[in-house]
Amino acid sequence: MKTVLNYIRDYLKHVDKILPLICLALTVFDLYVIYSMTKTGYISNGYFKTFIIEATFRTQIIAAVIGIIAAIVISAVDYRFISKIWFVIAPVAVILQLLLFTPLGVQRDDDIAWLDFGIITIQPAEILKFVYIVTLATHISKLGENINSPKHLILVCIHGLAPAALIIIQKDIGSALVFVFMFICMLFMSGISWKYLLAGIASIPLLAVFAWNFILEDHHKTRVLILFDKDLQEAEKLNRFYQQYNGTIVLGSGQLTGLGFDQESYHYTSELSNDFIFAYIGMTLGFIGCMTVVIMLALLCLKLLSNASGAQTNLGKLICIGVFAMIFFHCVINIGVVLCVVPVIGIPLPFISRGGTAIIMVNACMGLVLSVSAHREKEKHMFY
């Protein structure tokens, strides 16, 4: 019993105190916003209906509680042990992703990203992100300076890009880009030679041309062209640009302080509880509400970088950088879509958007970062 108490005391002494508070504040805000949507509903397909039902709010609460518990449990386990059992968790994530090619896979819009088990649906890509961070960080940290060996670098690139390729086949371009960005950030922090980095930068135009001609479909290309062609934008306002165009109206309708959560004169667009929830925040809480969310998410990203700086092992640093890259990319792209500066690619806002799998796994990723801070010998932070 005394040993257990000593472990708990040591854990509480070293674990990050600020990161859980930021995550908890975002989660509480998320539940408040989702609850408001259960009461107001929104317009879809041209007619009014209560799209968000109370069961969805209960699901969000349950997912948030499970996510918080998962974060606590994972943070209490040494991240080096989690790294050692990668061969146990990796097959589970890969199998779930491959099940999307079976009748269990559900096609929504233009991609196949959800598994329907009857009583529950899950998004395997969210689980794969957690496993990807662990496995890629383990792979790179074991190589050390050998990362610059062509043989090892090729294997790392295969490891880093294979999940993105698999998800592209399922036509979930948004999730695939998240994996690519995580890979780039983690590779950059691995000690890779500048000659490889410069070669990678030089290859970007060729990769862009390849993606445009062989990966993106016509509707993806239209979403990109719309942002640069105002004439096309006007012509497509009632077609492919309808969602994003209405999203800007929803966002701007709240002006400085918002319309509140009990108005009847709302503006609407589809996916308001998921990809366009930032627009809903702008409508109900105004510019002040939007900036509050941005500041909270910015603090979260800075804290993740701080923990990466304070990590005492390369493995811990890479885990923190992987989680940072995931959160940062989600935030920038999601908000960028609402502001019409990037094309619609279907990426939720971390901790805020509706989605049980997403909120569980983003909390699990926070548990990884907390484990890095909890299992070190000395305190070491970037800012204090």
Side-chain angles (χ1 to χ4, degrees), residues 33 36-37 39-43 48 249-250 253-254 258-269 272 279-285:
V33 171
S36 77
M37 300 182 86
K39 301 303 181 183
T40 59
Y42 64 86
I43 291 176
F48 182 85
I249 296 176
V250 172
S253 64
L259 302 176
F261 289 117
D262 56 354
Q263 297 293 319
E264 296 182 358
S265 57
Y266 279 159
H267 297 279
Y268 297 91
T269 192
L272 205 55
Y280 181 80
I281 293 171
M283 176 174 64
T284 54
L285 298 175

Side-chain angles (χ1 to χ4, degrees), residues 198-219:
L198 292 175
I201 294 172
S203 66
I204 290 177
L206 293 176
L207 294 173
V209 171
F210 175 82
W212 184 266
N213 289 289
F214 299 103
I215 296 179
L216 299 183
E217 299 183 3
D218 289 341
H219 62 276

Side-chain angles (χ1 to χ4, degrees), residues 231-250:
D231 293 332
L232 178 63
Q233 190 175 116
E234 290 296 326
E236 293 284 347
K237 279 182 180 178
L238 298 179
N239 192 10
R240 296 192 186 277
F241 192 64
Y242 176 81
Q243 182 185 26
Q244 208 166 7
Y245 173 71
N246 276 358
T248 59
I249 296 176
V250 172

Side-chain angles (χ1 to χ4, degrees), residues 8 25 48 133 183 189 229-230 236 240 242 285 295 316:
I8 295 175
F48 182 85
I133 291 170
F183 170 67
M189 297 300 295
D229 190 332
K230 294 190 182 293
E236 293 284 347
R240 296 192 186 277
Y242 176 81
L285 298 175
I295 291 171

Side-chain angles (χ1 to χ4, degrees), residues 7 45 86 135 157 204 256 305 327 330 335 343 351-352 359 367-368:
Y7 177 82
N45 298 326
W86 67 266
T135 57
C157 289
I204 290 177
L256 181 62
L305 288 176
I327 298 295
H330 269 261
I335 295 175
F351 289 101
I352 306 296
I359 196 168
L368 281 176

